[in-house]
Amino acid sequence: MSNFRVFSTKCVTFLRKTFINSSSITLRRSLSQKSHHTYSIPENRNRLTKLLTQICGGCIACGLSAYCLKDRKFITNKFIVNALEPSDDNIPRMPYSFLADIVDMTQPAVVYIEVNIRNPYGHGVVKSHGSGFIVREDGLVLTNAHVISRQSVVEVKLQDGRVVKGQVQAVDSVTDLATVKIDEKNLPVLKLGKSSASRPGEFVLAMGSPLTLNNSVTHGIISTVNRGSQELGMGVRDMEYIQTDAVITKGNSGGPLVNMKGEAIGINTLNVMAGISFAIPSDRAAEFLRKAEELEKRAANKGWFGMGSKAVTTRQNRYIGITMFTLSPEFLSDLQARVPNFPQHITSGVLVPTVIHGSPAHRAGIQPGDVIVRINDKDIKSSAEVYKILETSESLIVQVYRHNQKFQLTITPDTID
C-alpha cells in the first residue's frame, strides 16, 4: 500500500472516530441535561439541529476522503519527493487554460509601436512607445492618437519579429484614436466586437506592450461599460469609456481589450490607479474606422490630419498634450486612501494620467500622476476650467503637486494650423 493510501486511510479513520465521539458526547449531554431540566420546543429543536449538522459534516468528510482515494485523476497516488519528476500528462489542462487559448487566437494581430521624438531637452531623439492591433489584412493598424505623439512616421514591430515603417493616416484626437498603415499583406486580423453588448462582470484580457515588454497580457473584469466623460470630469469630451480592473500601464495604450469570444471590445487608453483603467469602446472605434476609410479614399494625406481636435486643442487650436480627470470629492478621497504619497491636504484639482511625449506639457516638466491645483493664480476645480483658461492665455503658469512636493511650471501651448 502506497504512502498516500496509508495517509488517506488514517485521515478517514480519524474523521470517523471524531464524528462518532462528537455525536456520542452531544447525545449523552442532551440526555443527561434532559434528566435535570425541562427544555422548551425551540431549545430541543436547536439541539437536534446541532446534532444533525455534526452528522452531516462527518458524512461529507468521509465521502470526500473516499472519493479522493478512488479517483486518481485529481490527486496523485504518491507524495512528490523530487521536483524534477515527469509531470502526469494524463491530467487534463484544457479546463484551466481557456484564457491561454484566447491569447493564442488573438495575440498574432497585436503590434508594438515605437516613435522617435525630438528630445525637448537637448539634441538627439527620445523614444516613445505603445501598442496597436491589426484591423485589416493589408496592414491597417488601430491605436491611440496619443501613442503616435503627433508624428507622421512610426516603427511597427509585428509578432513574428519583423520591424516595418508605418505611415500615420488618420487621427481623431476627440476619441484619441489613430490609424497607421504598414506595407504588408495577408496579416492576421483581430475582429472588433460589439461593445454595447458587453456587461459588467465579464472577463476581459488587456493586451499590449507595457513598459516595452512585448506580448504581455493581463486579465480582469468589466467594471462598467459606459463610464461617461462628464462623470470623469473630462468636460470637453462627449465620450463613454469601458472601465476595467485589468492592468493597463504605460505602453499598453492602443492595445486591445479582448472579451472571451476573442474579439476586441475596447482600445486600452489609460490607467488612473490600481484597479481603475479605461478603454475606448469598440463601437466608437468602428465608427472612427468608417470615417477614416472615407477620408483615405478622398485624399492620400501622408501627414497628421485630424477629424476633430477638441481633446488636445481649444477653439483657437492651442495644444498642451495632456489628459485630465477632475478630482471629485469621492475620487479624491479614494486616491488619498489608496495611493501611497498622494498629497493629503489638497481639496480639489485635476489629475494628469497621461502626458504626450514632446508636447508642450512634457517640455515644461509635467509628469503622469501630477495634480494641477492652480493656473495663472486661479484655483482649479475641474478640467473644464483648464480648457477655458487655455482659450484666453498664451502662457500657463501651472502649480502642480507631485507626491507631496509642490512645483511651479510654465507651459507655452503649441498652435496647430
Side-chain angles (χ1 to χ4, degrees):
M1 183 179 293
S2 66
N3 291 334
F4 180 76
R5 181 178 290 276
V6 172
F7 173 74
S8 299
T9 303
K10 290 181 178 179
C11 287
V12 172
T13 303
F14 173 76
L15 288 171
R16 285 173 177 168
K17 288 181 178 179
T18 303
F19 152 65
I20 293 171
N21 292 339
S22 177
S23 301
S24 300
I25 291 170
T26 302
L27 185 58
R28 285 199 301 271
R29 284 179 179 174
S30 298
L31 294 175
S32 174
Q33 291 175 355
K34 190 174 181 180
S35 61
H36 299 285
H37 303 282
T38 301
Y39 297 102
S40 63
I41 292 177
E43 288 176 329
N44 286 331
R45 188 174 298 158
N46 290 337
R47 290 176 176 277
L48 181 59
T49 300
K50 291 180 180 178
L51 181 60
L52 291 175
T53 300
Q54 290 178 339
I55 293 173
C56 291
C59 292
I60 291 171
C62 292
L64 286 175
S65 298
Y67 176 75
C68 291
L69 283 171
K70 178 182 178 182
D71 196 337
R72 301 287 171 77
K73 291 181 180 179
F74 301 99
I75 295 182
T76 180
N77 60 357
K78 61 180 180 180
F79 289 110
I80 300 297
V81 295
N82 187 350
L84 298 178
E85 290 184 5
S87 62
D88 188 353
D89 294 332
N90 294 323
I91 299 177
R93 295 177 57 191
M94 188 69 67
Y96 316 106
S97 59
F98 66 96
L99 294 179
D101 296 334
I102 296 171
V103 173
D104 289 342
M105 179 172 58
T106 58
Q107 198 167 53
V110 181
V111 301
Y112 168 72
I113 297 175
E114 188 170 84
V115 184
N116 294 320
I117 305 169
R118 180 180 60 83
N119 189 348
Y121 303 110
H123 299 290
V125 297
V126 294
K127 292 183 181 296
S128 175
H129 62 274
S131 305
F133 59 99
I134 302 167
V135 293
R136 216 168 60 195
E137 60 86 25
D138 64 349
L140 188 67
V141 175
L142 180 64
T143 184
N144 282 142
H146 74 260
V147 167
I148 59 175
S149 301
R150 303 176 65 205
Q151 303 299 303
S152 59
V153 179
V154 298
E155 289 186 349
V156 178
K157 184 177 181 180
L158 305 177
Q159 286 290 314
D160 59 11
R162 286 179 291 166
V163 178
V164 295
K165 292 291 184 182
Q167 185 72 49
V168 176
Q169 284 202 329
V171 176
D172 185 353
S173 50
V174 173
T175 58
D176 193 22
L177 292 171
T179 55
V180 176
K181 185 67 170 61
I182 59 176
D183 189 16
E184 297 289 338
K185 302 294 183 183
N186 302 318
L187 295 173
V189 173
L190 180 53
K191 180 182 176 182
L192 288 179
K194 193 173 181 181
S195 58
S196 58
S198 301
R199 299 178 299 167
E202 287 187 20
F203 283 109
V204 287
L205 299 175
M207 308 176 71
S209 305
L211 305 174
T212 72
L213 300 174
N214 293 356
N215 309 331
S216 294
V217 180
T218 59
H219 72 90
I221 63 169
I222 295 176
S223 304
T224 183
V225 295
N226 53 358
R227 183 69 70 197
S229 57
Q230 298 290 337
E231 186 178 356
L232 296 173
M234 302 168 70
V236 176
R237 296 187 181 187
D238 182 19
M239 284 277 293
E240 290 185 340
Y241 296 88
I242 297 174
Q243 181 180 330
T244 177
D245 65 354
V247 178
I248 297 175
T249 57
K250 182 175 174 60
N252 257 355
S253 291
L257 187 70
V258 179
N259 64 11
M260 295 298 98
K261 295 170 63 178
E263 299 171 336
I265 58 166
I267 294 82
N268 304 328
T269 299
L270 56 92
N271 170 264
V272 177
M273 58 187 295
I276 302 179
S277 299
F278 295 95
I280 301 167
S282 58
D283 292 353
R284 183 62 71 101
E287 180 182 350
F288 163 74
L289 288 173
R290 284 191 292 268
K291 291 180 180 179
E293 188 174 0
E294 294 174 4
L295 197 60
E296 182 183 358
K297 291 177 181 178
R298 286 186 300 181
N301 193 322
K302 296 184 179 181
W304 169 284
F305 61 90
M307 302 185 308
S309 56
K310 291 182 180 178
V312 293
T313 66
T314 67
R315 291 168 188 162
Q316 297 182 358
N317 296 324
R318 291 199 180 107
Y319 164 86
I320 57 175
I322 60 175
T323 58
M324 294 178 287
F325 279 165
T326 298
L327 293 177
S328 65
E330 296 80 10
F331 188 27
L332 178 59
S333 176
D334 196 19
L335 288 172
Q336 290 173 333
R338 296 174 58 180
V339 178
N341 297 322
F342 193 88
Q344 299 294 313
H345 59 281
I346 63 174
T347 58
S348 64
V350 294
L351 176 68
V352 180
T354 306
V355 180
I356 296 176
H357 281 270
S359 67
H362 181 248
R363 294 196 297 267
I366 298 289
Q367 296 183 10
D370 285 354
V371 178
I372 298 175
V373 295
R374 194 173 179 85
I375 297 179
N376 293 351
D377 295 326
K378 176 179 174 58
D379 291 336
I380 298 300
K381 299 184 183 301
S382 70
S383 58
E385 293 179 350
V386 178
Y387 290 112
K388 189 174 181 180
I389 294 173
L390 187 57
E391 289 179 2
T392 57
S393 303
E394 295 183 357
S395 180
L396 308 179
I397 300 175
V398 182
Q399 191 176 101
V400 303
Y401 276 94
R402 185 174 302 152
H403 303 306
N404 289 310
Q405 290 184 297
K406 183 169 68 174
F407 298 89
Q408 182 168 297
L409 307 170
T410 301
I411 302 176
T412 303
D414 284 348
T415 300
I416 300 177
D417 297 329

